Amino acid sequence: MDSLAFWLPLLFLFVSALLGTAMKRRARDHCLKRLDGTRVILPDLNGKWQHGEVKIFAQGIELIFPSPKAKSFGDIQSLVIHPNEVDKIPFFIRPAPDVDTRAGVKWAEELERIRNPSYKQRIYRMILNIYNMLRDAFGQAAQTIMGAMSKDSSVGKVKNSDKRMNEIGSGLTELVPNAWEPILEKYRGRRILIERKTPEGFVNEAGVLEDYSSRYLLVRQVSIQDEKLRQSIEGQQKKPGELYDFIYSRSTTIIRNTLKD
């Protein structure tokens, strides 16, 4: 029991479990992360509109209401939406700030950088894309290395060591924001037309594609054409605006057309 051969595998698996937990905490969808700490509007699973400051977690989100909602059992401060529920939300909406405010100036500057990225930003994106093209190979290599380590005579004797090592290998690849998609990459910073599926049929909305992930499309400067949606959103605001930032779920939305700038 006092030998290094006994304690070393246990220490290794403890450290690997700690590393795996740390990676999971960082594995937030990078499109959703852009909304973290901002005010958003979204439809809940009951079809009701909710708005407040959103907090993005690796497992689910929290929507903090502007003011507590009084109920018979107490004042409700926030809404917790779990991962399986988040996946069913068709879109997240962030109203654009007034152009004559500091937030509005910052929003306009962000949009300009998206549409005309600097040389440094282009180089960073190119490096990320090269990495993403090699993502599968990297994941397979990481899992192979981890698997070989788990076969070591000392580590392999510990129960569930294979499972833990596979979790670490998978976690390493999940830290990469998204897989590279050539056609979406081509039109980042360009005006596009999305096609969104609704219970009443298909709806088109135009905006500037900022980024994408395997689950979402982040579209800026959207002018809402769906009158029903517009009225619902305006009902959640004291001062309705004309432009919005959208994060669309790719389960209900696709990019259908590109638009001339």
Side-chain angles (χ1 to χ4, degrees), residues 40-249:
V40 301
I41 304 170
L42 57 86
D44 63 20
L45 299 185
N46 297 318
K48 296 182 179 180
W49 289 93
Q50 306 286 353
H51 72 278
E53 181 181 339
V54 66
K55 298 294 183 182
I56 307 297
F57 298 90
Q59 301 293 324
I61 65 175
E62 181 182 18
L63 192 67
I64 302 174
F65 299 131
S67 58
K69 298 183 178 182
K71 298 291 182 181
S72 59
F73 40 77
D75 293 341
I76 298 177
Q77 182 176 346
S78 67
L79 173 66
V80 177
I81 306 177
H82 298 277
N84 62 321
E85 298 173 324
V86 174
D87 292 340
K88 298 176 183 178
I89 298 176
F91 44 71
F92 301 79
I93 306 168
R94 179 176 63 184
D98 293 337
V99 294
D100 56 351
T101 63
R102 179 176 297 180
V105 172
K106 183 179 178 180
W107 183 85
E109 290 175 347
E110 286 181 353
L111 188 61
E112 178 62 23
R113 286 195 297 268
I114 292 166
R115 303 208 67 179
N116 299 288
S118 66
Y119 180 75
K120 181 179 179 181
Q121 290 172 321
R122 292 177 186 273
I123 292 297
Y124 172 79
R125 191 72 186 189
M126 182 180 68
I127 294 172
L128 181 61
N129 288 337
I130 292 173
Y131 187 86
N132 283 333
M133 286 190 289
L134 301 173
R135 185 173 184 266
D136 291 340
F138 173 80
Q140 292 174 11
Q143 292 187 13
T144 300
I145 293 171
M146 294 298 180
M149 292 176 63
S150 69
K151 299 303 181 183
D152 180 83
S153 57
S154 56
V155 178
K157 294 178 182 178
V158 181
K159 185 178 180 180
N160 294 329
S161 61
D162 286 347
K163 179 181 178 181
R164 183 62 60 194
M165 301 304 288
N166 286 333
E167 288 179 356
I168 298 173
S170 299
L172 289 173
T173 60
E174 289 175 0
L175 290 178
V176 181
N178 58 277
W180 182 62
E181 297 186 40
I183 193 167
L184 296 185
E185 194 65 29
K186 178 182 178 181
Y187 289 104
R188 286 184 65 251
R190 302 277 298 277
R191 296 187 69 240
I192 49 92
L193 189 71
I194 64 97
E195 184 177 87
R196 179 168 56 85
K197 185 178 181 181
T198 70
E200 292 77 25
F202 291 96
V203 173
N204 291 326
E205 287 159 348
V208 176
L209 177 64
E210 177 179 354
D211 214 339
Y212 60 92
S213 69
S214 60
R215 297 166 57 194
Y216 297 106
L217 297 171
L218 173 53
V219 184
R220 303 286 294 267
Q221 205 178 25
V222 176
S223 178
I224 300 174
Q225 303 300 315
D226 183 352
E227 189 61 32
K228 182 179 178 180
L229 177 60
R230 178 186 293 276
Q231 292 176 0
S232 298
I233 294 175
E234 290 178 349
Q236 304 297 315
Q237 303 181 81
K238 293 182 180 180
K239 185 180 178 182
E242 296 182 358
L243 298 175
Y244 300 86
D245 297 331
F246 269 70
I247 289 185
Y248 294 100
S249 170

Side-chain angles (χ1 to χ4, degrees), residues 17-33:
L18 186 62
L19 179 61
T21 301
M23 289 190 294
K24 286 182 179 180
R25 291 187 64 179
R26 292 178 58 86
R28 299 180 297 171
D29 185 277
H30 72 284
C31 286
L32 283 183
K33 282 197 299 184

